[in-house]
């Protein structure tokens, strides 16, 4: 196969990955950079890529400020409660104050948003969710991005960032290949915005074999958002904060519309309410500040998602499973029945098909719920991602060192899954972060910060040889066997993925160990990942599709390593229901009321871990902190007076 090298030079902004974050970048960058060259590189096809590729039934992040519904401060409080305190409030506030305008754009472009006939406001599914007819959500948004980009490369997977060789800690572009033709694509760019996906399938899924593709979130999200940044030496944050979802069993159908719009509820196998039984013990584990049942009932303060998961896990472990979603009552209403089915037909067709194929009608039988395998997705309800600079008007000094959403590498920006500390952004929030990054990248270039970038031919050739090595490894190794697929000389991507999933599952708190891990398990897991990295030098690819799978595996491996390092570093159980540290089973605010930050040295592969301050810039916790501070300030004064 003759591989051509295609070089795109003099790019101002390269958008790596074109989900909602990447599309937001391309759209907004054109507004602030009329004369700038904007290029998109997308592994799939921009019209059907990213987390909303199949469609979406709700936009999960909308303030509704114009209707007097919520303000950005409310959203920060909500996300902070749900994440057990661990969020970047400056980044969250910044996203929340701009997100409504993004949603209004979607409607202008033709996305059908449901409206409340009485008020004229958008139809609410819950406090933060508005309902849409979203089967064509992604094509509509993709069109706006494509019109504003100079070029869009579909089927081009970015495998590495290129680094400036002038002596500065600065990005210089990216390199990858076309997954269909095999051509090598080199992008020399003044800035790069990473809008690639988070990590599905790094843990062994509950659905295996022919059902392996039936996982939650985008099954093709291979951790590229994280691996690209980690390999380049960018600082990462909160990578221990994976998410476990309560989902309809086997089809992974989302439960949000059922809980919020259909007003369904859960019960154990014996028809009993079970959550309240587990909360007293759980309150001792996490503290009243995070689980106050009286306050929750009185103020409608939501119970953190992970704690609800914990109740499901404990109830099933006690032998009172399975857990059922009570749909039979709601489905007696023809309108709600229609909504229940359309919810899946518009975004998770597999769930509707599964129910039909197994003769399960939720009108006459309550379907089962279960908890999923863990996912590492910074744009959903988790805070993992890169350590990014925040907005100058909001961020404290420790959170602000450059342009908004710029990482610890100059000229490298992020959106969506790539940005750490901004959970509950979802699709609209990811698009909004892309807009912020696009504007910041333009400002960075206009300020002359991207001048003098050097990317040598030797760096490009080194990366090119690395990218296509699996093809050569397979070509040589295949000659050593006469039948079958098992070779002594190479590892194929799919068995490699199964090996990775087994390591993460058993040593880093997956489903088969009931999400339990400890320091001993994590250290063994890190050792196994190190050995696997040596073996990945011998990964083989039969064709360009398998070459893509090989690099997805490498990206998933690097992401997994970072997740395991962070999980080992945070010595507490901060999110029971997502994972448990068996050697530190309590939430420990005394020692761990902080954010975690890591950096992997690109030369040595060694990780440096550190704690970063956690500032509560909005609302309740801030008031408590100030009250405690005033108390502590008064105490020494009293002692001094007594001494006199």
């Amino acid at each position: 196969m003759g591989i051509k090298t295609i070089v795109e030079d003099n790019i101002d902004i390269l958008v790596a990955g074109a989900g909602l974050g990447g599309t937001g970048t391309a759209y907004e960058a054109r507004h602030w950079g009329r004369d700038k060259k904007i290029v998109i590189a997308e592994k799939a096809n921009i019209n059907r890529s990213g987390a909303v590729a199949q469609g979406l039934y709700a936009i999960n992040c909308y303030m509704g400020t114009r209707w007097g519904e919520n303000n950005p401060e409310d959203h920060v409080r909500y996300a902070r409660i749900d994440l057990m305190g661990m969020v970047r409030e400056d980044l969250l506030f910044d996203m929340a104050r701009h997100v409504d305008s993004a949603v209004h754009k979607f409607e202008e472009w033709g996305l059908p948003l449901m409206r409340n006939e009485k008020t004229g406001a958008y139809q609410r599914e819950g406090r933060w969710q508005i309902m849409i007819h979203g089967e064509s959500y992604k094509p509509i948004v993709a069109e706006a991005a494509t019109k504003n980009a100079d070029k869009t490369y579909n089927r081009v997977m970015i495998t590495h960032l290129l680094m400036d060789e002038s002596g500065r800690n600065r990005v210089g572009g990216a390199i990858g290949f076309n997954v269909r033709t095999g051509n090598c694509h080199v992008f020399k760019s003044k800035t790069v915005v990473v809008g690639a996906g988070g990590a599905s399938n790094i843990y062994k899924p509950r659905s295996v074999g022919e059902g392996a593709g039936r996982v939650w979130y985008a099954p093709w999200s291979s951790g590229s958002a994280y691996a690209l940044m980690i390999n380049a030496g960018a600082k990462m944050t909160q990578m221990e904060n994976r998410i476990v979802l309560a989902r309809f069993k086997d089809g992974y159908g989302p439960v949000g519309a059922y809980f919020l719009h259909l007003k369904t509820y859960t019960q154990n196998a014996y028809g009993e309410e079970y959550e309240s039984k587990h909360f007293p013990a759980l309150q001792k584990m996490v503290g009243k500040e995070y689980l106050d049942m009286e306050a929750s009932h009185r103020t409608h303060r939501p119970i953190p998602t992970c704690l609800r998961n914990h109740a499901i896990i404990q109830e099933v472990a006690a032998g009172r499973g399975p857990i059922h979603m009570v749909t039979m009552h709601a489905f007696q209403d023809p309108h709600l029945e229609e909504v229940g089915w359309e919810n899946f037909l518009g975004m998770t067709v597999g769930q509707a098909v599964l129910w039909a194929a197994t003769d399960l009608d939720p009108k006459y039988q309550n379907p089962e719920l279960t908890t999923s395998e863990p996912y590492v997705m910074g744009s959903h309800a988790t805070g993992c991602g890169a350590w990014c600079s925040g907005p100058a008007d909001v961020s404290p000094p420790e959170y602000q060192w450059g342009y908004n959403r710029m990482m610890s590498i100059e000229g490298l920006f992020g959106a969506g899954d790539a940005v750490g500390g901004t959970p509950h952004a979802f699709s609209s929030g990811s698009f909004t972060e892309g807009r912020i990054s696009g504007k910041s990248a333009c400002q960075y270039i206009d300020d002359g910060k991207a001048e003098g970038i050097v990317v040598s031919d030797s760096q490009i050739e080194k990366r090119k040889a690395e990218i296509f090595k699996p093809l050569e490894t397979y070509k040589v190794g295949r000659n050593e066997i006469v039948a079958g697929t098992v070779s002594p000389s190479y590892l194929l991507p799919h068995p490699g993925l199964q090996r990775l999933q087994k390591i993460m599952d058993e040593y880093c708190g997956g489903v088969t160990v009931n999400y339990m891990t400890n320091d001993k398990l994590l250290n063994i897991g890190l050792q196994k990942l190190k050995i696997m990295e040596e073996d990945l030098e011998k990964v083989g690819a039969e064709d360009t599709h398998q070459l893509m799978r090989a690099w997805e595996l490498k990206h998933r491996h690097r992401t997994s390593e970072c997740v395991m390092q962070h999980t080992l570093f945070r010595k507490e159980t901060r999110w029971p229901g997502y994972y448990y540290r068996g050697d530190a089973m309590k939430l420990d605010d005394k020692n761990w009321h902080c954010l975690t930050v890591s950096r992997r040295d690109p030369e040595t592969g060694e990780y440096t871990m550190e704690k970063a301050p956690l500032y509560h810039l909005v609302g309740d916790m801030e008031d408590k902190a100030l009250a405690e501070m005033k108390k502590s300030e008064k105490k020494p004064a009293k002692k001094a007076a007594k001494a006199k």
Side-chain angles (χ1 to χ4, degrees):
M1 180 178 60
I3 297 169
K4 289 195 299 183
T5 300
I6 299 168
V7 179
E8 276 285 351
D9 204 350
N10 298 316
I11 299 170
D12 291 296
I13 300 171
L14 173 66
V15 181
L20 264 288
T23 51
T25 300
Y27 170 77
E28 189 71 14
R30 177 57 66 213
H31 178 81
W32 300 98
R34 296 291 179 186
D35 58 341
K36 291 182 171 48
K37 186 175 181 181
I38 303 163
V39 174
I40 299 170
E42 163 58 48
K43 181 177 74 173
N45 185 297
I46 188 171
N47 289 319
R48 287 291 181 183
S49 65
V52 303
Q54 192 175 203
L56 204 63
Y57 204 70
I59 288 175
N60 293 306
C61 182
Y62 180 74
M63 302 299 110
T65 307
R66 63 157 61 162
W67 312 106
E69 294 173 326
N70 299 292
N71 59 46
E73 292 88 347
D74 295 327
H75 191 262
V76 173
R77 290 188 189 94
Y78 163 67
R80 180 175 64 201
I81 290 165
D82 198 56
L83 270 289
M84 308 296 282
M86 304 286 110
V87 295
R88 277 281 300 272
E89 297 191 13
D90 59 326
L91 299 180
L92 265 174
F93 176 82
D94 191 35
M95 179 275 292
R97 65 179 167 178
H98 296 301
V99 72
D100 283 14
S101 65
V103 175
H104 302 154
K105 288 288 182 188
F106 299 157
E107 188 173 36
E108 285 176 26
W109 298 337
L111 181 66
L113 277 67
M114 302 183 198
R115 288 186 179 270
N116 185 313
E117 293 180 2
K118 294 180 180 178
T119 65
Y122 296 134
Q123 179 67 52
R124 281 286 179 186
E125 183 180 276
R127 182 174 180 182
W128 306 106
Q129 302 83 4
I130 57 174
M131 301 180 72
I132 65 174
H133 296 287
E135 191 279 333
S136 295
Y137 187 4
K138 186 62 200 301
I140 289 169
V141 177
E143 183 181 16
T146 306
K147 284 180 177 177
N148 283 284
D150 291 275
K151 281 188 180 180
T152 298
Y153 285 94
N154 289 314
R155 305 295 180 189
V156 172
M157 180 184 187
I158 299 297
T159 58
H160 301 80
L161 296 174
L162 296 172
M163 302 304 291
D164 175 23
E165 296 168 60
S166 69
R168 290 175 61 175
N169 175 38
R170 190 164 59 168
V171 75
I175 186 170
F177 67 99
N178 187 298
V179 302
R180 294 285 172 83
T181 67
N183 291 333
C184 181
H185 285 260
V186 178
F187 302 95
K188 295 182 179 180
S189 184
K190 293 176 182 177
T191 62
V192 176
V193 180
V194 177
S200 291
N201 277 313
I202 61 172
Y203 282 85
K204 184 164 72 175
R206 285 194 183 273
S207 294
V208 297
E210 64 84 24
R214 217 181 280 138
V215 299
W216 173 80
Y217 217 72
W220 47 85
S221 288
S222 54
S224 297
Y226 307 129
L228 289 170
M229 303 182 295
I230 296 165
N231 285 334
K235 288 185 176 182
M236 307 297 291
T237 187
Q238 296 299 102
M239 290 298 287
E240 71 276 19
N241 182 207
R242 79 293 306 264
I243 187 172
V244 170
L245 292 305
R247 287 293 181 260
F248 285 105
K249 191 172 183 295
D250 297 330
Y252 288 76
V255 299
Y258 281 72
F259 278 134
L260 297 170
H261 189 67
L262 275 64
K263 307 301 180 187
T264 59
Y265 54 94
T266 59
Q267 58 185 206
N268 68 17
Y270 301 96
E272 301 164 334
E273 184 278 325
Y274 60 88
E275 280 190 349
S276 60
K277 298 175 187 176
H278 298 281
F279 285 155
L282 186 56
Q283 190 177 71
K284 294 178 182 177
M285 187 177 178
V286 301
K288 196 171 183 179
E289 186 175 356
Y290 299 98
L291 180 59
D292 188 336
M293 292 304 297
E294 292 178 14
S296 180
H297 290 309
R298 190 171 62 251
T299 64
H300 303 290
R301 171 177 165 163
I303 295 168
T305 307
C306 64
L307 304 186
R308 290 191 179 278
N309 273 8
H310 174 82
I312 292 175
I313 294 164
Q314 293 301 306
E315 189 70 3
V316 172
R320 293 187 288 271
I323 303 301
H324 290 283
M325 174 77 85
V326 180
T327 56
M328 290 166 62
H329 301 316
F331 272 54
Q332 301 309 311
D333 181 326
H335 169 69
L336 294 182
E337 181 183 18
E338 182 181 349
V339 170
W341 282 104
E342 282 188 1
N343 180 54
F344 294 139
L345 293 172
M347 65 173 175
T348 317
V349 178
Q351 185 67 60
V353 172
L354 182 69
W355 279 352
T358 53
D359 292 333
L360 192 154
D361 187 340
K363 187 174 183 178
Y364 304 109
Q365 183 181 346
N366 294 325
E368 292 179 49
L369 291 189
T370 190
T371 49
S372 73
E373 64 280 357
Y375 297 84
V376 182
M377 299 284 181
S379 67
H380 198 266
T382 42
C384 46
W387 185 239
C388 293
S389 182
D393 64 329
V394 175
S395 304
E398 291 91 339
Y399 293 175
Q400 216 284 325
W401 58 84
Y403 297 83
N404 197 351
R405 280 358 184 248
M406 189 172 80
M407 302 177 197
S408 56
I409 295 172
E410 290 184 40
L412 183 61
F413 298 84
D417 285 329
V419 175
T422 57
H424 293 278
F426 301 110
S427 60
S428 54
S430 295
F431 186 88
T432 303
E433 280 192 327
R435 295 180 73 184
I436 293 168
S437 286
K439 181 180 179 180
S440 295
C442 289
Q443 188 65 56
Y444 176 87
I445 296 166
D446 290 342
D447 289 346
K449 302 292 185 180
E451 299 302 318
I453 294 173
V454 177
V455 177
S456 67
D457 290 342
S458 60
Q459 181 184 171
I460 292 169
E461 287 304 313
K462 178 186 174 185
R463 291 303 186 197
K464 183 179 174 182
E466 191 177 345
I467 290 167
F468 293 100
K469 183 181 175 183
L471 290 172
E472 184 66 21
T473 300
Y474 180 86
K475 183 179 178 182
V476 173
R478 191 68 185 84
N479 292 324
E480 299 176 1
I481 58 176
V482 295
T485 57
V486 178
S487 167
S489 300
Y490 58 73
L491 170 70
L492 291 175
H494 191 250
L497 179 60
Q498 291 172 323
R499 177 175 167 186
L500 175 66
Q501 290 175 344
K502 180 176 170 63
I503 292 170
M504 290 298 289
D505 179 83
E506 295 180 5
Y507 295 97
C508 201
V511 291
T512 66
V513 293
N514 238 14
Y515 312 104
M516 183 66 69
T517 187
N518 60 39
D519 58 340
K520 304 298 183 186
L521 285 164
L522 290 164
N523 278 309
I524 295 170
L526 285 168
Q527 184 182 9
K528 288 183 179 293
L529 286 178
K530 188 174 182 181
I531 294 168
M532 184 174 177
E533 184 169 8
E534 296 172 7
D535 291 346
L536 286 177
E537 289 300 308
K538 294 290 187 180
V539 68
E542 181 180 5
D543 52 30
T544 54
H545 182 77
Q546 288 304 307
L547 184 62
M548 177 185 71
R549 293 289 183 235
W551 278 102
E552 286 179 335
L553 174 58
K554 284 173 174 276
H555 285 181
R556 283 188 169 106
H557 175 275
R558 181 64 73 228
T559 300
S560 298
E561 177 187 66
C562 191
V563 169
M564 207 172 282
Q565 288 280 2
H566 273 254
T567 308
L568 179 63
F569 182 63
R570 184 180 281 281
K571 296 178 176 62
E572 65 163 349
T573 298
R574 171 64 57 170
W575 302 277
Y578 290 168
Y579 76 93
Y580 304 87
R581 276 285 300 258
D583 53 334
M585 280 293 281
K586 286 194 173 185
L587 184 148
D588 181 6
D589 262 346
K590 182 181 178 183
N591 296 301
W592 290 100
H593 196 77
C594 63
L595 300 172
T596 59
V597 177
S598 69
R599 181 182 182 272
R600 179 185 179 274
D601 188 310
E603 300 299 322
T604 66
E606 296 297 316
Y607 279 80
T608 303
M609 305 295 305
E610 59 181 305
K611 295 180 179 181
L614 179 62
Y615 291 112
H616 298 300
L617 307 173
V618 173
D620 309 330
M621 284 189 176
E622 181 188 18
D623 296 338
K624 286 184 181 179
L626 287 171
E628 289 299 318
M629 198 183 297
K630 287 176 182 176
K631 280 183 188 176
S632 62
E633 286 172 357
K634 288 176 182 176
K635 284 178 183 176
K638 285 182 180 178
K639 286 181 181 177
K642 198 172 184 180
K644 279 184 180 180

